Amino acid sequence: MLKRLRRSLYLKLFLSFLATCVLFFVALAVFWNFYFSDLFYKEKKALLLERAGEVNKLLTPLQEGVMSIRELRLGIRILGRSFNGQVWLVDQRGTVLYSSFEREGLVIPKNMDSLFLEALRNKSGYSTALIPHGDSTSEHVLIYYTPIMLNDRDSVMFLLTPADDISEAVRAVRWNIVVPLMFSLLAVGLILFTLSRKLARPLQQMNSTAVAIAEGDFSKRVPIVSNDEIGQLASSFNMMVDQLEMWEDSRKDFLANVSHELRSPLTTLRGFIAAMNDGVIPAGKYPHYLKICDYEVQRLQRLVSDLLDLARIQNGTDVFHPEPIHVLAKTEEVLDWLLPSFQSKKLRVHVRLPHPGNPPIVCLLDPDRYAQIVQNLLYNAIQFTPAGGEITVELDADANQFMFTLRDTGIGMSDDEMQRIWDRFFKADRSRGERTDGTGLGLTIVKHLVSGMRGHIEVESELGVGTQFRLSFPLYTMTSGLEPAQPHDPAV
């Protein structure tokens, strides 16, 4: 329990604030005590200093032999009565030689020895002390001590004046200082206790929520009870939990989708292989079913390849190697690669390029990744455009960016499908078109590649009319040394 309390942030905050306030109040009390004490003693100190000067004036004629001892005693007695105090002239042994009161021949009190030694070291000053009167009474006095020369010897002069009235006033002031400070300290302690709990409670709740999340419970949230920095921290923490919950759901969906995509071809392969091993399929049908098995293996290879590619893109692991490329020429290369696919499905392809006299269009892109983007978009258009349809590729540029537009006359998409086409493993409704052999990762990869190369992509579609993809990339200004592309045949 004690170890837990020592580790508690709430206790540390409370004790730190309380210690700071205690030190402040103690310093304030000490300052006020010295200030008022000095204020109350100020007049009496000035009076003692003045009377000490008068005594020194009496000692000068005594040293010169002009004044007698009797006259000196009379003078210091008169001066003592003027400030209602006493004057002591003390020799080197601490014995009172001359006094305004009946003190001659007596040794000074023990509690004045330190003042006596200070004076013998040629120092003057003020102090307070209790001077005994008889055996049972004592008087609180203010003392002024200073070194003097008496009978050509070092001596000490003490001037004492009653200070009981001042000490009573000082004690009253001290109580008037201490009592309010104690009540203030108590009030501040209560405030600090409440404030520390208020500051520490959200952190404790965050800690318990974090422990619950680490154990897999994403339903916990931190209550937001304020709009200050603590409330903002709680809100940010809840946002983080929401994001973690979304990622966890996405992870589960991803695993379920991967499992489904892998299970389907593996089940097909296992079924055909078992059927051939059991002799259910005649030997003459082996080539046909082996062809189906080869198709499923290729499908698995594409799925694994796309998954690895997507993982590298999302993790940013050595994905992009940008360089200035001539995007028109690169786009034409991809179109040439896919020419057999266009022809096998009898699709008409229209390519619209800028005017040949325009400056070359150069962007800072990874050439292989750009080719992958264009190839995936064109492959998607081929898959969902019926035979005899049209695909239009339009390339253009303005002062800041290069635009690539791809339109097809395919089956189109609904609004819900357009919202989900960037999701992993999402495939359009197969009931509205031919069977496709895609993995459902192509457009997801396209989205990440475009964003990774500082580009932008958007889609428009209408059911039964077709789909348009439009992507753009910032231009690269250093175009020297690159030749403009030759215009492509307007129809393939």
Side-chain angles (χ1 to χ4, degrees):
M1 183 65 179
L2 293 177
K3 290 183 179 179
R4 182 180 176 184
L5 287 176
R6 283 198 296 267
R7 292 195 301 264
S8 172
L9 176 63
Y10 149 70
L11 187 61
K12 291 178 181 179
L13 286 174
F14 174 69
L15 293 180
S16 298
F17 290 152
L18 186 61
T20 302
C21 292
V22 168
L23 290 176
F24 173 76
F25 284 160
V26 168
L28 192 62
V30 171
F31 168 76
W32 282 350
N33 176 65
F34 280 106
Y35 174 78
F36 284 109
S37 297
D38 184 71
L39 181 66
F40 290 150
Y41 284 110
K42 185 176 182 179
E43 291 185 3
K44 284 189 176 292
K45 288 180 178 179
L47 180 61
L48 292 180
L49 182 62
E50 180 184 352
R51 293 298 182 263
E54 297 293 332
V55 174
N56 281 322
K57 291 180 180 179
L58 293 177
L59 294 178
T60 301
L62 179 66
Q63 299 289 346
E64 295 174 352
V66 178
M67 178 182 290
S68 65
I69 299 298
R70 183 173 176 277
E71 291 174 332
L72 174 65
R73 289 192 176 107
L74 179 61
I76 60 176
R77 186 173 298 175
I78 294 173
L79 288 175
R81 291 177 179 176
S82 68
F83 62 90
N84 193 28
Q86 301 181 43
V87 179
W88 297 352
L89 302 181
V90 182
D91 62 13
Q92 290 181 334
R93 294 177 296 177
T95 302
V96 179
L97 294 179
Y98 307 109
S99 169
S100 62
F101 192 68
E102 297 177 357
R103 194 80 186 187
E104 295 180 0
L106 299 178
V107 179
I108 61 174
K110 290 289 185 181
N111 56 354
M112 294 178 60
D113 287 346
S114 60
L115 307 181
F116 177 71
L117 295 175
E118 285 285 318
L120 289 180
R121 288 195 287 267
N122 202 31
K123 293 182 180 180
S124 302
Y126 299 90
S127 182
T128 57
L130 287 174
I131 303 301
H133 285 288
D135 295 333
S136 59
T137 61
S138 59
E139 182 183 15
H140 187 265
V141 296
L142 173 65
I143 304 172
Y144 173 73
Y145 57 91
T146 186
I148 59 173
M149 292 297 297
L150 189 61
N151 299 326
D152 296 326
R153 293 182 179 181
D154 292 332
S155 303
V156 178
M157 175 173 57
F158 288 102
L159 276 72
L160 302 85
T161 184
D164 287 329
D165 55 340
I166 297 178
S167 62
E168 289 293 333
V170 170
R171 275 196 294 271
V173 168
R174 286 173 180 171
W175 275 108
N176 290 331
I177 292 173
V178 171
V179 172
L181 285 181
M182 292 298 294
F183 279 105
S184 299
L185 184 60
L186 180 62
V188 169
L190 292 175
I191 294 173
L192 291 178
F193 178 80
T194 305
L195 181 61
S196 299
R197 287 181 62 87
K198 184 178 179 181
L199 290 175
R201 185 181 295 111
L203 300 179
Q204 294 170 344
Q205 292 171 339
M206 288 181 199
N207 179 62
S208 61
T209 303
V211 172
I213 292 171
E215 295 174 351
D217 183 6
F218 289 92
S219 63
K220 302 291 186 180
R221 295 295 185 275
V222 178
I224 301 175
V225 296
S226 63
N227 294 323
D228 54 14
E229 287 80 359
I230 296 294
Q232 294 172 6
L233 178 60
S235 177
S236 300
F237 184 88
N238 289 339
M239 289 176 58
M240 180 191 69
V241 176
D242 292 337
Q243 191 69 29
L244 287 174
E245 185 177 19
M246 183 183 69
W247 286 345
E248 179 65 15
D249 293 340
S250 177
R251 184 185 68 85
K252 292 179 180 178
D253 292 341
F254 175 75
L255 291 176
N257 289 330
V258 169
S259 300
H260 174 73
E261 293 293 331
L262 291 175
R263 187 184 298 113
S264 179
L266 289 174
T267 301
T268 302
L269 289 171
R270 187 171 181 271
F272 286 153
I273 293 173
M276 286 186 285
N277 285 334
D278 295 339
V280 176
I281 298 176
K285 294 287 187 177
Y286 281 7
H288 171 72
Y289 288 101
L290 287 175
K291 184 177 181 181
I292 296 176
C293 290
D294 180 64
Y295 171 82
E296 294 297 339
V297 170
Q298 291 181 26
R299 180 181 168 192
L300 282 173
Q301 287 178 333
R302 286 195 301 272
L303 177 60
V304 172
S305 177
D306 285 347
L307 284 173
L308 292 175
D309 199 20
L310 182 60
R312 284 195 297 267
I313 294 170
Q314 290 180 326
N315 294 332
T317 308
D318 194 28
V319 175
F320 301 105
H321 303 280
E323 60 183 66
I325 65 168
H326 199 305
V327 289
L328 300 187
K330 195 65 181 178
T331 305
E332 291 175 5
E333 289 182 15
V334 180
L335 289 169
D336 290 338
W337 296 340
L338 295 178
L339 182 59
S341 299
F342 297 137
Q343 292 174 343
S344 65
K345 205 168 181 181
K346 299 179 182 180
L347 298 175
R348 296 189 302 275
V349 181
H350 302 278
V351 181
R352 298 175 182 174
L353 301 176
H355 189 274
N358 291 347
I361 302 176
V362 179
C363 296
L364 188 63
L365 304 171
D366 185 313
D368 294 334
R369 291 302 185 180
Y370 173 74
Q372 185 179 1
I373 293 170
V374 176
Q375 184 176 358
N376 283 357
L377 292 176
L378 288 171
Y379 180 77
N380 189 72
I382 293 171
Q383 290 286 317
F384 293 100
T385 301
E390 294 184 357
I391 294 177
T392 302
V393 177
E394 183 177 344
L395 308 176
D396 198 3
D398 59 18
N400 300 312
Q401 61 183 359
F402 157 68
M403 286 83 72
F404 173 95
T405 305
L406 173 63
R407 288 187 293 270
D408 62 53
T409 57
I411 61 176
M413 292 181 289
S414 64
D415 292 339
D416 179 64
E417 287 175 331
M418 280 195 296
Q419 296 295 327
R420 299 180 58 197
I421 60 171
W422 311 115
D423 296 343
R424 290 172 295 192
F425 299 108
F426 175 75
K427 298 179 183 180
D429 187 359
R430 293 181 178 179
S431 65
R432 296 185 288 104
E434 300 178 0
R435 179 177 183 271
T436 62
D437 57 356
T439 62
L441 295 174
L443 291 180
T444 305
I445 292 174
V446 166
K447 180 73 171 179
H448 283 86
L449 289 178
V450 171
S451 300
M453 293 191 291
R454 300 185 300 120
H456 176 72
I457 187 169
E458 57 188 22
V459 61
E460 297 177 7
S461 187
E462 185 177 351
L463 283 174
V465 177
T467 302
Q468 172 180 291
F469 285 93
R470 181 183 178 88
L471 64 91
S472 59
F473 292 101
L475 292 178
Y476 182 68
T477 56
M478 304 299 292
T479 58
S480 58
L482 295 173
E483 297 296 333
Q486 297 300 319
H488 195 277
D489 189 0
V492 177

